Amino acid sequence: AENILAGVDNLKIISQDKVTFDEREAEHIKADGKTDGIPVSVDLLVLKKNSCTYDIAYIGRTTTFPKEQTYFEDFLKRFNAP
């Protein structure tokens, strides 16, 4: 998670929770910050399964984030780690 969030300046973690995803424990992080001076929001899910780590993220402009986040949520509903 740190590598993905490293590119976001002025990072403010909004929430950081343990959740169940794909029958495994995962970490779900929501954050705000800036990239190249532009306000961005982050929705990040970190999942470990079968010796692999999956960092699944949606990072978008804060102004359009809530509207576009539904696409990310739909993707997560269909995602199954091998």
Side-chain angles (χ1 to χ4, degrees), residues 18-63:
K18 298 287 184 191
V19 298
T20 300
F21 184 84
D22 200 15
E23 301 179 359
R24 303 292 173 106
E25 185 178 274
E27 187 173 15
H28 189 200
I29 301 167
K30 292 188 177 187
D32 289 327
K34 290 187 177 184
T35 298
D36 293 332
I38 298 170
V40 295
S41 294
V42 178
D43 191 344
L44 171 63
L45 185 79
V46 180
L47 169 70
K48 294 182 181 183
K49 186 173 182 181
N50 299 331
S51 301
C52 295
T53 300
Y54 298 87
D55 295 322
I56 308 168
Y58 168 56
I59 303 171
R61 290 177 181 250
T62 301
T63 55

Side-chain angles (χ1 to χ4, degrees), residues 57-72:
Y58 168 56
I59 303 171
R61 290 177 181 250
T62 301
T63 55
T64 58
F65 189 86
K67 179 180 168 186
E68 296 171 349
Q69 187 179 20
T70 57
Y71 298 114
F72 180 67

